[in-house]
Amino acid sequence: MSDSPRVADFLFAYENFNNFNLEIEEKFALMIVIISSYDDTMVKEKDEESWATSIRNNLLKDIRIHKNTIDYWAMSDEADLDNCFL
């Protein structure tokens, strides 16, 4: 479940997943929570640029497990930007 005040905590857990013994499925799920939480933060107009950079870098680093997540959130087939995620 997304929790916008905890984006930094979620990113820390993701980036230190070896210390938390996360499996690939847990890493996949955690990234979804991170993106959803960050989207909530942007809706509240509290964008944190360092989070965006970190999320992007982590998605690219682990693109093999996050390709479907990227496709979902990108909504590249949607022509009306009002129907897209921030």
Side-chain angles (χ1 to χ4, degrees):
M1 184 163 206
S2 66
D3 188 356
S4 59
R6 297 195 58 211
V7 173
D9 296 333
F10 296 148
L11 281 168
F12 179 83
Y14 187 91
E15 291 169 354
N16 295 282
F17 77 97
N18 287 331
N19 298 337
F20 294 98
N21 297 318
L22 296 179
E23 302 291 332
I24 294 295
E25 295 82 11
E26 293 167 315
K27 199 172 182 184
F28 171 81
L30 181 56
M31 182 54 75
I32 292 171
V33 171
I34 291 169
I35 295 171
S36 179
S37 297
Y38 183 68
D39 184 61
D40 290 347
T41 299
M42 290 176 36
V43 168
K44 296 175 185 174
E45 298 178 12
K46 297 180 181 178
D47 184 14
E48 179 67 47
E49 185 63 32
S50 65
W51 293 346
T53 301
S54 182
I55 292 167
R56 180 183 184 279
N57 291 340
N58 285 308
L59 285 168
L60 291 173
K61 179 181 72 169
D62 293 326
I63 197 163
R64 63 181 168 67
I65 62 174
H66 298 306
K67 179 159 179 4
N68 290 338
T69 302
I70 293 167
D71 290 343
Y72 174 80
W73 284 91
M75 299 181 75
S76 58
D77 293 336
E78 180 57 60
D80 185 356
L81 292 179
D82 289 334
N83 293 331
C84 295
F85 300 106
L86 289 176

